[in-house]
Every structure is written in C-alpha cells, then in structure tokens.
Amino acid sequence: MAVGDALAAVSVTLTRRDLIRYAGASGDFNVIHWDERSAVAVGLPDVIAHGMLTMGQALQVVTDWLGDPGRVLEYGVSFKRPVVVDALLGATLQFAGKVLSLDESARTAVVEIAATENGQAVLGRARATVQLA
Amino acid sequence: MDTSFAGRVYPPSQPYEVGREKIREFADAVGAAHPAHRDPAVARALGYPDVIAPTTFAIIVTTSAADVVVYDPLLGLDYTRVVHRDQRFVQRRPLHAGDVVTVTVTVESARIVAGNALLSTRGDVYGADGELITSAYASLVSRAVQL
C-alpha cells in the first residue's frame, strides 16, 4: 500500500425505493425525501436523497477495501450538492477513493473519497481515517 | 437564534438498545454488504462480541438527541430552513448488537454569519458502563430569509 493508491470505484443507482428504505432504517422521515410536492414547495427541483444516505453509501468504497468495516476511526463529509432522485430514473452516483496519507507507526491511513453525479461532486472533504491490520 | 447556547450541554437521552435486526436493516439501506453486519460468527471471528453496525448507524441516536437542541424553542432556530452542511464521526469502536447507549449533546457553536444561523452539535454516544463509543459532529445551517 502506498500514498496515492486508488481504491476500487463503485457506481450506485439510488431509487425512490432506496430513499424510503433509508427513511425507515434511519428514522429520518423528512418529507423532502419522499414527497415531490413538499420538495418543490421548499424550492427543490424534486425529491432529494438524504445526505446521510449518500454518506453511508460512500463509505463502502473504503470498507470494501479495508476488509473489516469496524476499523473506521473517523469519517467526515460536507454536503455540497443535493442528489435529485427522479421517480423513474433514480440517480446514479460514482464513488472513488484514494490513499491520502499513511502513518506506518500507528498503522493508520487516511482515505479521500470522491462522490460524484454526472461528474459533479455531491460530497466535499469526504475523508475516512482507518486502522490497518 | 440565541448564540449564547454555545457550550450548553443537554441531559443524556433515553437509553437505546442496538439490535441485530436494526443493524441488518440499516446496513441494507446504505449498501453495507459485509457479513460482519449480519452474521455473529463472522463478527466474532473479527474480534467483535456480536454483529457490528456501519459507522453512520450512530446517526439514528445522535440526530434524535440533537433534535432536542434544534427544536428547543428557547434556541429560536428556524428549522424549516435548516440544511445539513457537515457530518463527522469519531469512532472509538464500532457499535455492536447488545450495546445499550445514551447520547449527551453539546452545542459546539452557535453563530450568525451573513444572516445565516450556523449550529454545530456534538453527540457523544456512551455505552451502559459509561464508555465513550463514538462522537457525532453535525453542522446545520438555517439560511437567511431572502427579502
């Protein structure tokens, strides 16, 4: 492993069904994530995905690579752009990752995650610090 | 928004018991495919007492705990205009099935910038024995009303 190493990229298509599933799993029933009229009423083009759903999905790039999903020490993101989820087409997100830094003595690594939709970043400063084996 | 709320610490939340099926449900919802979220034997082989939760699972308990702050009428935040700006977790160890946790919320900062109300909270998730398991840092923005 070396700084700059790329992690296997993942593409995920989120549908309205996924948003409703996440609402139930997380307890976040904000109407803008499942009701078009409510989303439009607050100035959004359509229903948008929970930022926390995108954040949760994005971490899979890291945990797939890490092998043990419990060895995440820190994980943070900023929410840059809403992910608009069309009723028929859903929204397709691309997640990629690369090793930003390594601490050989502590056996930790910092991974930067890129989360994009049609080439535009939906998350900013998405970074995870992980404990290596 | 009352910016004097910065530094305020709220009383601990009601206890929440982390269950295997809730972990499975949440893992399915965020695409976390690893069997350590579902199979206790796999989790034990990795050194955990039971199935482990994805890192962002803590949001279930930290958001409801932070809602006490966000919806506190004395704080005066216009929550109809709130947008989630940043989220970060600092995890000492993963949550696992059987954990009974409480959350203590601290207002890290409460500021007004260019008419926008910026609220940052930290939710510390403690196990039944008082062990700090994970901390969730959330930054919310309540956008200024455009006149």
Side-chain angles (χ1 to χ4, degrees):
Chain A
M1 187 189 306
V3 171
D5 278 1
L7 282 53
V10 176
S11 174
V12 175
T13 298
L14 296 177
T15 64
R16 293 282 176 88
R17 181 192 180 92
D18 296 316
L19 271 54
I20 290 164
R21 186 201 304 266
Y22 184 78
S26 67
D28 182 346
F29 291 100
N30 190 328
V31 287
I32 62 172
H33 304 305
W34 52 270
D35 180 53
E36 275 178 34
R37 279 176 298 180
S38 299
V40 169
V42 296
L44 294 165
D46 201 339
V47 162
I48 62 166
H50 306 72
M52 288 304 304
L53 171 56
T54 303
M55 183 182 187
Q57 292 274 351
L59 189 60
Q60 303 319 311
V61 168
V62 178
T63 52
D64 286 353
W65 164 79
L66 194 58
D68 175 349
R71 285 196 269 111
V72 177
L73 304 175
E74 186 168 342
Y75 177 39
V77 307
S78 65
F79 301 104
K80 287 191 73 171
R81 251 180 109 250
V83 174
V84 176
V85 180
D86 181 84
L88 293 175
L89 302 174
T92 299
L93 301 177
Q94 264 76 41
F95 300 114
K98 71 173 181 195
V99 178
L100 209 57
S101 64
L102 283 170
D103 183 331
E104 294 289 356
S105 57
R107 297 292 300 149
T108 60
V110 178
V111 176
E112 183 164 61
I113 303 167
T116 56
E117 183 188 16
N118 298 323
Q120 287 187 290
V122 295
L123 299 178
R125 298 194 308 274
R127 286 176 186 186
T129 305
V130 299
Q131 186 72 56
L132 303 170
Chain B
M1 182 178 68
D2 182 350
T3 56
S4 76
F5 271 57
R8 192 169 292 207
V9 182
Y10 282 68
S13 64
Q14 290 297 308
Y16 174 96
E17 182 170 347
V18 178
R20 283 183 185 168
E21 296 307 330
K22 192 66 190 178
I23 289 176
R24 178 200 300 267
E25 182 189 0
F26 190 89
D28 286 345
V30 295
H34 200 285
H37 301 307
R38 296 168 180 81
D39 184 343
V42 172
R44 285 189 195 110
L46 290 171
Y48 304 111
D50 205 323
V51 292
I52 58 168
T55 304
T56 63
F57 181 95
I59 202 74
I60 295 171
V61 288
T62 60
T63 295
S64 56
D67 279 352
V68 175
V69 183
V70 173
Y71 295 108
D72 186 338
L74 295 173
L75 174 64
L77 183 72
D78 180 359
Y79 48 79
T80 64
R81 307 184 64 80
V82 162
V83 177
H84 197 177
R85 189 181 58 171
D86 296 296
Q87 182 67 45
R88 185 164 62 94
F89 298 90
V90 177
Q91 183 173 259
R92 303 265 181 111
R93 67 159 173 85
L95 288 162
H96 60 73
D99 273 325
V100 177
V101 299
T102 56
V103 183
T104 300
V105 176
T106 302
V107 179
E108 294 251 296
S109 71
R111 296 180 297 139
I112 306 286
V113 177
N116 301 305
L118 310 182
L119 179 73
S120 296
T121 60
R122 185 183 85 239
D124 290 321
V125 180
Y126 292 97
D129 59 358
E131 169 198 12
L132 178 60
I133 300 173
T134 187
S135 297
Y137 296 78
S139 297
L140 306 177
V141 184
S142 183
R143 291 162 298 166
V145 177
Q146 302 294 320
L147 297 175

